[in-house]
């Protein structure tokens, strides 16, 4: 789950990384109590929306105490890349001498934390890598280490102020302890009074939300949340064929076949092991609730799961889309009997079922 800038800054700050003083407001009226007065005359208003490049998209405005209220009304009236502004971080304006970039991400292939540091920050790191590769330095740290080795910190920093090393190491600790997939400061800036994190980004591994005390994954759609409640592995895609399978392998194989026959899947839904009638009913209803879904393929192997249970679940869901069913295994005949004569299309092979679904989706 992606944290917003103000949340990430609170965390980075608690690890000793200098962040600008600031207050979070939920409406322009929040300013009436004078909460932002102690920030000094020059302030920056930053829309707390989860989009990249807020600055360019008009999500960051400069103001002074005199123009603050009006600027806040302006910002709360905006949409940044289609997202309405509901929270604004008002910060002291810092005087920037130089912008750097630092990020730490999981590198899955080496199973290490990959630290990137660039002498030119404030812009997208991809463009630095392309246009100014010499400004970008990397280090890989085995995450069993509590600290980034000193020689790596030195190499990453290059000619940047010595203080940067401390910031990188503190960011690394936050990254590890917060179960992050990405921790980023862009830009990390030098000011007359030292190094400051002007922006902050932190993505927490969804599998670690409980451990991190995060109750609800805000990044999930309503449907993904329902799926999570039922214990389904569910991912929304943008095609027309609803997919329900049991087991991640079989469900992935179904998606691959759909792709192979030039169809487009609307989702991935693995009902999990031992799916009963209720779970199948919920799965079918969930997938059928997506307006773009024209046809649903149910590809289930009976083991502990009984095909007659599956069949009853499908019938009970009573959805309007065509359902193509491929059932094999325990109580297969019973299942087929239940579905027979009710308008479902039954296929013995996965290939036939997928081909039929792709045709139906056209
Ligand atoms: P992003 O566009 O979402 O990445 O938002 P950032 O927080 O990174 O801000 C974008 C740019 O605004 C930064 O690269 C800075 O150049 C500028 N900026 C942000 N805060 C301040 C500030 O306090 N003082 C000054 N002078 N510039 C700022
Ligand atoms: Mn930024």
């Amino acid at each position: 789950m992606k944290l917003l800038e103000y949340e990430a800054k609170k965390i980075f700050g608690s690890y000793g990384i200098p962040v600008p003083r600031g207050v979070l407001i939920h409406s322009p009226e929040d300013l009436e109590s004078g909460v932002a007065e102690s920030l000094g005359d020059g302030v920056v208003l930053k829309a707390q929306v989860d989009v990249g490049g807020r600055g360019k998209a008009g999500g960051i405005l400069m103001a002074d105490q005199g123009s603050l209220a009006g600027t806040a009304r302006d910002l709360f009236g905006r949409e940044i890349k289609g997202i309405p502004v509901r929270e604004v971080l008002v910060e002291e304006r810092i005087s920037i001498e130089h912008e750097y970039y630092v990020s730490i991400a999981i590198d899955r292939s080496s199973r290490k934390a990959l630290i990137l540091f660039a002498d030119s920050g404030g812009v997208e790191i991809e463009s630095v890598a392309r246009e100014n590769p010499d400004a970008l330095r990397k280090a890989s740290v085995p995450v069993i280490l509590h600290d980034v080795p000193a020689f790596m910190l030195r190499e990453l920093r290059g000619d940047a102020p010595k203080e940067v090393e401390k910031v990188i190491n503190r960011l690394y600790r936050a990254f590890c302890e917060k179960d992050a997939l990405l921790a980023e400061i862009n830009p990390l800036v030098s000011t007359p009074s030292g190094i400051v994190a002007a922006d902050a980004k932190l993505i927490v591994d969804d599998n670690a939300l409980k451990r991190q005390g995060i109750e609800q994954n805000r990044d999930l759609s309503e449907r993904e949340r329902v799926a999570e409640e039922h214990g389904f592995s569910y991912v929304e895609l943008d095609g027309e064929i609803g997919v329900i399978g049991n087991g991640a392998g079989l469900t992935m194989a179904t998606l691959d076949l759909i792709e192979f026959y030039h169809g487009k899947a609307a989702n991935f839904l693995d009902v999990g092991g031992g799916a009963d009638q209720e779970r199948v009913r919920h799965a079918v209803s969930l997938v059928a609730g997506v307006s773009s879904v024209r046809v649903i393929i149910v590809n289930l192997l009976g083991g502990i799961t009984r095909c007659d249970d599956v069949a009853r679940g499908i019938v009970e869901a009573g959805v309007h889309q065509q359902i193509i069913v491929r059932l094999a295994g325990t109580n297969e005949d019973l299942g087929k009997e239940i579905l027979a004569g009710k308008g479902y299309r039954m296929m013995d092979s996965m290939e036939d079922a997928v081909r039929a679904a792709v045709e139906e989706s056209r």
Side-chain angles (χ1 to χ4, degrees):
M1 185 178 96
K2 296 193 200 89
L3 300 190
L4 291 168
E5 177 191 9
Y6 80 92
E7 298 170 310
K9 276 182 170 163
K10 205 179 281 173
I11 291 170
F12 292 174
S14 75
Y15 278 83
I17 297 171
V19 295
R21 288 179 301 136
V23 290
L24 183 76
I25 58 172
H26 297 86
S27 75
E29 288 72 44
D30 283 358
L31 291 167
E32 287 165 11
S33 62
V35 282
E37 277 165 17
S38 65
L39 298 177
D41 191 43
V43 291
V44 186
L45 290 88
K46 311 182 81 178
Q48 297 302 289
V49 289
D50 167 26
V51 300
R54 278 173 312 168
K56 277 186 209 142
I60 293 174
L61 303 176
M62 304 281 168
D64 49 42
Q65 289 293 339
S67 62
L68 176 55
T71 310
R73 276 194 295 276
D74 177 0
L75 191 53
F76 274 103
R78 292 186 186 192
E79 280 190 358
I80 311 302
K81 295 189 178 171
I83 301 178
V85 178
R86 301 199 197 285
E87 292 171 312
V88 168
L89 179 62
V90 185
E91 283 187 337
E92 62 177 326
R93 196 185 312 162
I94 47 181
S95 110
I96 297 178
E97 289 171 342
H98 190 85
E99 299 189 321
Y100 300 95
Y101 170 95
V102 58
S103 73
I104 306 178
I106 289 286
D107 176 13
R108 289 179 198 275
S109 55
S110 69
R111 303 182 196 176
K112 289 176 180 166
L114 178 67
I115 307 179
L116 298 181
F117 183 85
D119 295 319
S120 48
V123 291
E124 276 172 26
I125 192 63
E126 290 81 0
S127 69
V128 177
R130 214 171 31 238
E131 284 150 31
N132 195 5
D134 290 343
L136 183 64
R137 293 182 288 278
K138 302 174 189 179
S140 278
V141 184
V143 286
I144 49 161
L145 296 183
H146 289 287
D147 290 291
V148 182
F151 78 93
M152 285 189 188
L153 289 172
R154 251 189 334 266
E155 280 173 14
L156 285 163
R157 167 169 75 89
D159 295 328
K162 175 86 179 145
E163 233 184 306
V164 161
E165 293 185 18
K166 237 186 239 162
V167 170
I168 296 175
N169 198 49
R170 288 170 177 173
L171 189 66
Y172 173 74
R173 286 188 183 163
F175 173 84
C176 293
E177 289 175 16
K178 297 298 169 186
D179 294 307
L181 296 178
L182 174 73
E184 182 188 81
I185 302 175
N186 185 24
L188 176 70
V189 303
S190 61
T191 75
S193 50
I195 294 290
V196 179
D199 193 6
K201 191 169 174 181
L202 190 65
I203 302 177
V204 178
D205 188 333
D206 288 350
N207 296 306
L209 296 185
K210 245 195 207 121
R211 180 156 71 186
Q212 292 302 333
I214 299 170
E215 298 273 327
Q216 207 178 54
N217 185 346
R218 287 186 309 229
D219 293 353
L220 296 184
S221 71
E222 188 50 41
R223 213 166 261 115
E224 284 170 330
R225 220 189 313 278
V226 172
E228 196 182 64
E229 269 165 31
H230 290 303
F232 301 147
S233 302
Y234 177 72
V235 181
E236 280 178 0
L237 305 166
D238 52 11
E240 303 82 32
I241 305 172
V243 178
I244 297 170
N246 63 343
L250 183 64
T251 314
M252 278 308 285
T254 311
L255 290 190
D256 284 347
L257 262 186
I258 290 174
E259 187 76 26
F260 181 76
Y261 289 118
H262 306 293
K264 286 194 88 182
N267 69 278
F268 169 99
L269 192 158
D270 166 16
V271 285
D276 59 11
Q277 185 175 334
E278 271 291 289
R279 288 174 67 76
V280 172
R281 176 170 69 84
H282 283 303
V284 173
S285 302
L286 190 84
V287 169
V290 180
S291 58
S292 56
V293 169
R294 295 208 198 121
V295 54
I296 297 169
I297 175 166
V298 177
N299 186 9
L300 291 168
L301 277 181
I304 297 170
T305 301
R306 293 170 20 181
C307 292
D308 54 325
D309 273 349
V310 171
R312 278 188 216 99
I314 292 172
V315 174
E316 222 186 311
V319 301
H320 66 88
Q321 289 97 333
Q322 167 85 76
I323 300 184
I324 292 162
V325 187
R326 185 252 176 166
L327 283 177
T330 312
N331 290 0
E332 180 180 327
D333 293 341
L334 257 177
K336 285 178 175 167
E337 223 169 87
I338 292 167
L339 293 174
K342 291 199 173 74
Y344 302 102
R345 289 180 66 183
M346 280 176 282
M347 303 287 172
D348 285 329
S349 86
M350 184 158 148
E351 285 77 10
D352 289 345
V354 168
R355 258 201 304 262
V358 171
E359 254 164 50
E360 189 77 33
S361 74
R362 294 250 155 81

